Amino acid sequence: MLQVSGPPCSGKSTRLKELARQGWATMDDWEYHRSRGATSRDTITDHDWAAWYAALGSAVQRIGPPLAYIQGRPTPRYPFIRVQVLDPGIDECHRRADADHRPPITHQWVDHWYQRWGAQP
């Protein structure tokens, strides 16, 4: 099992799509929230996140390997999960946010991720 981690705009969803093409079961947090009616990331509530983590925990138990999911923080959600951190650098994340026409708050989320977790080796 694999946890794909990194700041906003680091390529986590793209990496999950690559893994899905290789036959992995995948869970993308943003796709999950969108399927439940979220229209932007800044409107996702604590209750929504609790539902995501419950669904993720169920999938980890039910599906097993190969399963990959997104978790922004670079610490493993479960002790038996391998973590792959995508870190293209803060400047590149900001460039991608602009190129993708992400909402302005995305820049704050990028900055917050780097302030909290720092650059990853």
Side-chain angles (χ1 to χ4, degrees), residues 4 7 10 37 50-51 58 66 74 92 94 96 108 114-115:
V4 179
S10 62
S58 176
E92 178 63 13
H94 283 299
R96 290 177 183 180
Q108 293 174 20
Y114 279 98
Q115 288 166 2

Side-chain angles (χ1 to χ4, degrees), residues 17-30:
K17 289 173 188 167
E18 292 169 356
L19 291 168
R21 284 192 295 275
Q22 296 171 19
W24 287 62
T26 60
M27 290 186 66
D28 183 322
D29 58 351
W30 172 233

Side-chain angles (χ1 to χ4, degrees), residues 79-120:
F80 52 88
I81 301 285
R82 184 171 59 97
V83 177
Q84 180 181 46
V85 179
L86 306 179
D87 180 8
I90 192 170
D91 292 338
E92 178 63 13
C93 289
H94 283 299
R95 188 198 66 72
R96 290 177 183 180
D98 289 336
D100 291 346
H101 305 288
R102 300 274 184 107
I105 196 169
T106 304
H107 292 285
Q108 293 174 20
W109 295 335
V110 168
D111 291 341
H112 178 262
W113 191 93
Y114 279 98
Q115 288 166 2
R116 182 158 187 198
W117 303 110
Q120 299 294 303

Side-chain angles (χ1 to χ4, degrees), residues 58-79:
S58 176
V60 165
Q61 291 178 7
R62 193 178 73 254
I63 297 172
L67 169 69
Y69 63 90
I70 289 178
Q71 173 69 51
R73 63 187 167 122
T75 55
R77 179 93 185 147
Y78 302 97

